[in-house]
Amino acid sequence: MMSIKEIAKLAGVSPSTVSRVVNNKKWVKPQLRESILALVRETGYVANNAARSMVLKRTFTIGIVIPDTFNMFQRQLFSIIEHDLEVYGYRTLFFFIKWEPESEFNCLRKLKAENVDGIIMLHELNHPDVYAYLTQASLPVVLCTFGREELGFHSVHVDEEAAARTATEYLIQLGHRRIALISGTHFSFASQRAAGYRMALESAGIPYDEARVISAVAYNPEEGRRSMWELLERGGEFSALFAITDELAIGALRTLYEAGLNAPQDISIIGVDDIDIAGFVAPGLSTVRQPIQAMGKKTAEIMSQLIAGEDCGAHSHVFAHQLVIRESCDTF
Amino acid sequence: MMSIKEIAKLAGVSPSTVSRVVNNKKWVKPQLRESILALVRETGYVANNAARSMVLKRTFTIGIVIPDTFNMFQRQLFSIIEHDLEVYGYRTLFFFIKWEPESEFNCLRKLKAENVDGIIMLHELNHPDVYAYLTQASLPVVLCTFGREELGFHSVHVDEEAAARTATEYLIQLGHRRIALISGTHFSFASQRAAGYRMALESAGIPYDEARVISAVAYNPEEGRRSMWELLERGGEFSALFAITDELAIGALRTLYEAGLNAPQDISIIGVDDIDIAGFVAPGLSTVRQPIQAMGKKTAEIMSQLIAGEDCGAHSHVFAHQLVIRESCDTF
DNA sequence: GTGAAAGCGCTAACAC
DNA sequence: GTGTTAGCGCTTTCAC
């Protein structure tokens, strides 16, 4: 690999001068600058990041903590964030969290080893050491799609409870009263969305019936499929289903197909997130949209401001959700 | 951030000794080793990667080149690769390629700056400078899901042409003779799969009819949907469709739904890849599976062998595809 | 067994 | 304007 010294030798100048040129600093005679630039182009020289970040004490790298099984929603989100971060001049480094308990600890190790300039979490970490480290290192942190007010981190998210209430109320408005729920236990959004469901029921004077709710152990289509089958096999009657994520809802839709049932004629189904594929299944999935694009952009923006030491105002940035009506729900 | 010097000072030893301990080298008195280890645990010290890789001249990082719009197939693939690479002791760094022409050049810059130990390409790059650099730097390279025999790189892929032929022949076997095709122009797999379609037709003595083929500009559901609408609007008759990717096929399935048509009753549809979601749409998508798991594992394995300087045998590792019959195709 | 010293590639004071 | 020097955090000879 070409190094700055070699370029310097070729140009007959000192490394400092080359450094000044490639970093666009002043105090280099225009003519010299040009000739060095030409040399750089010719040789294809690019400065070594490791060496650079060591002296600068900045890596220009933002760590993104994300589950290794990241779903389509998170996938869209991080693409947006990655893109914007690049525009701001930052690289992204992914830290994939697995379901094993040591994974979080492992992530912390890597975080320390990498010396990132900031961290964006698309995944809730529970190990207190992680948050302790982040705080103590006073590393810029932005939580995306969940909040942690107590910890004082910036966060970008929707009001999960309200979003779930919107979905459930839509079903109620359509005339449904026996509404099943596919919920889950992992991550705070699950209990928040489940709470929104209960509140909607309560407001409408509909009793909450445990026989119609099931807790999924993951948020993918296969779990949705499995859960819906279980719900069906319980024999309890329901005319509509609220699944706390679109992927779960898509799996439930699949179960209906397998069972020879139709949505929305037999059972109405609604999800949350509005992932890309939601509009392509048949019937198109009605859902509550999280403004992925806007949330991703905001996350990147806050991060860049935080690093620049600018004030970002409120710590909690709550985005409005939006009901998206497609074809999977009908009046009862 | 804690540094090796501080640990050394706390332990009352020199940095070299601490280094020996954390790197599990010999020549440290067991007792001393224990006390230093305890200190490391206590302080949560983790060696700085940048500094480490600078002196080692290895980064233990594998670059993964992937389109920023990576589809579900590629997403599954890289999760597997990332996981295995971690087991082998390597980190992964993603290089997202955008559709802009400068993106490839930009990627090359980053590649140079990062000093990765190896590169896995999940995306074909066309800029000759890239391959020139890879060769000249004699960096281990593994191409995944496409080949480049001429360039002498290792590659892991299926026989794209044969896979497409399998899909098309299945349709023919079912009695279809008017088979539409949604193909594309980007990346070599597209023309290879299109060629497989033509060969299957030819073998069956079915004339190739341009009126029934369309070229998509991307390989996502939206493009599949759009393409299928165009095919339908052309008015040409066909009883089956071969879409060169599952995402395209899923979009086409959606078009049928929108048009009030049914698969497989009105039109049979088959794709290629067998992405996760293929089994969850309604009807379940029949497709030709690429053994994602095996291919990902092999890719990581070859990479680790290449770095270790081991011989990996053949340069081209071709995996067998497999017809997956679900519900989207029926006899004509 | 352990420490001192050199050096990886780079940037930033500071000298000239 | 340009070069010299020191040093970022680490590992690795080479002394001792």
Side-chain angles (χ1 to χ4, degrees), chain B residues 24-299:
Chain B
N24 244 309
K25 294 271 158 80
K26 304 183 89 178
W27 309 119
V28 182
K29 211 187 285 181
Q31 203 184 336
L32 218 200
R33 160 164 277 135
E34 262 323 306
S35 71
I36 291 176
L37 242 25
L39 211 50
V40 167
R41 264 192 302 271
E42 227 172 87
T43 57
Y45 166 75
V46 179
N48 179 322
N49 261 328
R52 204 151 183 276
S53 66
M54 207 149 86
V55 32
L56 259 21
K57 293 180 161 309
R58 294 188 56 181
T59 54
F60 299 97
T61 299
I62 307 297
I64 300 198
V65 175
I66 189 169
D68 70 328
T69 58
F70 64 90
N71 59 33
M72 306 178 213
F73 173 70
Q74 291 164 132
R75 181 246 172 282
Q76 286 178 241
L77 202 49
F78 92 55
S79 277
I80 296 160
I81 295 175
E82 193 274 336
H83 176 269
D84 276 32
L85 246 24
E86 163 141 15
V87 172
Y88 286 120
Y90 294 99
R91 298 197 299 284
T92 43
L93 190 56
F94 289 92
F95 295 88
F96 294 102
I97 305 292
K98 308 192 196 314
W99 284 77
E100 308 132 23
E102 344 64 283
S103 188
E104 289 199 15
F105 183 72
N106 208 251
C107 174
L108 179 57
R109 274 188 58 83
K110 293 192 207 157
L111 241 25
K112 289 180 176 176
E114 296 300 347
N115 254 314
V116 293
D117 289 351
I119 296 189
I120 290 173
M121 298 223 234
L122 259 36
H123 178 100
E124 275 175 273
L125 255 29
N126 295 312
H127 204 306
D129 282 10
V130 177
Y131 292 101
Y133 166 70
L134 296 178
T135 309
Q136 165 251 312
S138 64
L139 219 51
V141 175
V142 183
L143 312 181
C144 187
T145 66
F146 66 100
R148 266 286 207 285
E149 303 290 306
E150 344 74 85
L151 270 26
F153 293 125
H154 282 264
S155 64
V156 170
H157 56 92
V158 296
D159 181 337
E160 302 285 3
E161 208 171 282
R165 215 166 52 204
T166 298
T168 313
E169 280 168 357
Y170 172 61
L171 257 16
I172 294 172
Q173 206 180 297
L174 251 26
H176 297 278
R177 300 204 39 103
R178 302 190 317 280
I179 302 170
L181 169 72
I182 300 181
S183 176
T185 52
H186 284 278
F187 311 132
S188 49
F189 81 86
S191 50
Q192 288 163 197
R193 290 184 187 176
Y197 161 86
R198 293 184 73 143
M199 289 180 61
L201 252 44
E202 202 172 318
S203 299
I206 301 173
Y208 176 82
D209 183 354
E210 280 214 340
R212 287 200 271 272
V213 348
I214 187 167
S215 183
V217 299
Y219 302 116
N220 53 39
E222 178 53 31
E223 258 300 287
R225 179 180 162 279
R226 200 196 57 70
S227 302
M228 188 59 166
W229 266 120
E230 192 175 327
L231 241 21
L232 251 28
E233 282 163 357
R234 282 187 195 167
E237 303 240 311
F238 54 95
S239 63
L241 166 78
F242 168 45
I244 63 163
T245 75
D246 284 353
E247 291 201 46
L248 247 19
I250 287 171
L253 233 28
R254 172 67 196 179
T255 299
L256 254 36
Y257 179 84
E258 291 175 2
L261 261 24
N262 286 301
Q265 297 86 336
D266 298 308
I267 293 182
S268 287
I269 295 186
I270 191 167
V272 182
D273 284 345
D274 195 28
I275 60 178
D276 275 343
I277 202 81
F280 291 97
V281 293
L285 183 67
S286 290
T287 185
V288 175
R289 173 180 301 158
Q290 295 201 54
I292 307 187
Q293 187 80 27
M295 289 167 71
K297 285 193 106 56
K298 187 69 183 178
T299 301

Side-chain angles (χ1 to χ4, degrees), chain A residues 4 19 23 25 45 48 51-52 56:
Chain A
I4 197 170
S19 173
N23 290 301
K25 295 269 157 78
Y45 166 76
N48 180 321
R52 205 152 182 277
L56 258 22

Side-chain angles (χ1 to χ4, degrees), chain A residues 199-264:
Chain A
M199 289 180 60
L201 253 43
E202 202 173 317
S203 300
I206 301 173
Y208 175 83
D209 182 354
E210 280 213 339
R212 285 201 273 271
V213 348
I214 188 166
S215 183
V217 298
Y219 303 118
N220 54 39
E222 177 54 29
E223 258 300 286
R225 178 178 163 281
R226 201 196 55 71
S227 301
M228 188 59 165
W229 267 120
E230 191 175 329
L231 241 22
L232 250 30
E233 282 163 356
R234 282 188 194 165
E237 302 240 313
F238 55 93
S239 63
L241 167 79
F242 168 45
I244 63 164
T245 75
D246 283 352
E247 292 201 46
L248 247 20
I250 287 172
L253 232 29
R254 170 69 196 179
T255 299
L256 253 38
Y257 179 84
E258 292 175 3
L261 260 25
N262 286 300

